[in-house]
């Protein structure tokens, strides 16, 4: 029931803050960079160490729960979302930023129950901003309530997106075309800051009006998607249809009209599906 998810939120905040301290220290140091799916898909010892720390800590407190962690999945562990309470963890969202010392990095921890996210925590480590949400209880940053912006016209919007790490030229070409069509639509601007989780927090906070991406993963968006909804925004698929956490794509917007305008403009980029090997 609601009571126990509040305890989970508390546990997630505590562990995210502890992980954030490690990341905030390590961002100053020399990093050993390793590669995953491609030469621009990076991982460091910090990602792996912090993920182990978060999972071990939550497992101790919630031994019956399941876990999906970005680096565990990269190491061949399962990524299946069942009805069992499942923690969905990105130890360092914005690893490329982390490697370069660009300060937009976050710990993202979501808890899904019956495949619906009940708890979401995103900790922006360098800025020391703790974003929290529990379903039905609102979204907060450092305890202050979050509210999405009131802009309804695409022509008045500030948008966020990412190129991600899929760099096949066909796929990049569609992404570029999407950006071109939105810029020419026009919109006020489009930004790429390198952390999907923090992009979602910015929309929840009303600092940007919408965010979209093709090629994102469930651990990048589980927590942030709940923050958006609890701040009064909407999450849909890039086609404008219902959102699917495992679909590797998302539009997060301040209002349905904004989401529809973006969906109507976007051309689909072929992506895979999380949980399929
Ligand atoms: C990535 C970042 C990036 C987004 C990618 C994500 P990671 O997460 O959020 O901004 O474009 O799709 O996978 O690998 O740094 O945890």
């Amino acid at each position: 029931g609601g009571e126990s998810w509040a305890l989970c939120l508390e546990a997630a905040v505590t562990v995210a803050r502890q992980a954030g301290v490690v990341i905030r220290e390590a961002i100053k140091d020399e990093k050993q960079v390793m590669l995953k799916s491609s030469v621009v898909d990076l991982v460091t010892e910090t990602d792996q160490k912090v993920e182990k720390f978060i999972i071990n800590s939550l497992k101790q407190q919630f031994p019956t729960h399941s876990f999906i962690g970005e680096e565990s999945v990269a190491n061949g562990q399962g990524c299946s979302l069942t009805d069992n309470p499942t923690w969905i963890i990105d130890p360092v969202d914005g690893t490329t930023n982390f490697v370069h010392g660009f300060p937009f990095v976050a710990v993202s921890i979501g808890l899904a129950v019956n495949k619906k996210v009940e708890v979401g925590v995103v900790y922006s480590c360098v800025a020391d901003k703790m974003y929290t949400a529990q379903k039905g209880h609102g979204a907060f940053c450092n305890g202050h309530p979050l509210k999405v912006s009131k802009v309804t016209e695409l022509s008045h919007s500030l948008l966020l997106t990412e190129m991600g790490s899929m760099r096949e030229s066909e796929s990049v070409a569609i992404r570029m075309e999407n950006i071109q069509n939105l810029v020419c639509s026009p919109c006020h601007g489009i930004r790429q800051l390198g952390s999907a989780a923090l992009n979602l927090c910015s929309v929840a906070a009303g600092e940007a009006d919408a965010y979209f991406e093709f090629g994102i993963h469930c651990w990048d968006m589980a927590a942030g998607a709940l923050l958006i909804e609890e701040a009064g925004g909407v999450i849909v698929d890039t086609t404008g249809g219902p959102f699917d956490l495992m679909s590797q794509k998302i539009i997060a917007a301040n209002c349905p009209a904004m989401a529809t305008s973006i969906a109507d403009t976007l051309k689909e980029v072929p992506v895979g599906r999380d949980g399929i090997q």
Side-chain angles (χ1 to χ4, degrees), residues 18-198:
Q18 290 167 334
V21 172
V22 175
I23 296 165
R24 192 158 61 224
E25 279 306 307
I27 198 170
K28 301 175 199 151
D29 300 340
E30 188 81 22
K31 292 110 188 159
Q32 288 284 14
V33 180
M34 297 162 279
L35 307 180
K36 295 196 288 185
S37 64
S38 77
V39 294
V40 294
D41 188 5
L42 314 181
V43 62
T44 70
E45 268 174 21
T46 302
D47 298 67
Q48 295 168 339
K49 185 172 87 179
V50 167
E51 178 161 317
K52 280 200 189 104
F53 165 73
I54 294 171
I55 292 182
N56 288 341
S57 163
L58 292 173
K59 230 179 216 161
Q60 253 177 28
Q61 299 172 73
F62 310 104
T64 62
H65 290 185
S66 304
F67 292 84
I68 295 174
E70 174 171 25
E71 308 315 335
S72 309
V73 172
N75 287 328
Q77 296 206 30
C79 178
S80 66
L81 185 59
T82 66
D83 285 344
N84 196 47
T86 303
W87 294 91
I88 305 173
I89 298 157
D90 189 344
V92 182
D93 184 61
T95 299
T96 305
N97 286 347
F98 173 76
V99 165
H100 289 266
F102 191 73
F104 290 179
V105 294
V107 180
S108 178
I109 303 177
L111 175 67
V113 183
N114 294 318
K115 302 190 181 75
K116 299 258 179 293
V117 183
E118 290 285 343
V119 163
V121 170
V122 176
Y123 182 48
S124 183
C125 320
V126 178
D128 189 23
K129 289 182 177 174
M130 183 67 75
Y131 295 90
T132 57
Q134 189 189 341
K135 189 186 255 156
H137 292 78
F140 301 85
C141 177
N142 291 347
H144 304 292
L146 297 178
K147 188 87 197 77
V148 294
S149 66
K150 292 195 173 73
V151 177
T152 55
E153 304 285 321
L154 189 55
S155 60
H156 295 164
S157 70
L158 183 65
L159 305 179
L160 304 172
T161 190
E162 297 291 335
M163 290 304 282
S165 56
M166 293 170 68
R167 302 298 170 81
E168 295 75 18
S169 57
E170 295 83 357
S171 148
V172 171
I174 307 173
R175 285 185 180 78
M176 296 301 278
E177 196 184 324
N178 283 336
I179 291 174
Q180 180 175 355
N181 288 338
L182 288 163
V183 166
C184 296
S185 185
C187 62
H188 279 178
I190 298 196
R191 309 282 180 261
Q192 295 195 28
L193 294 174
S195 163
L198 291 180

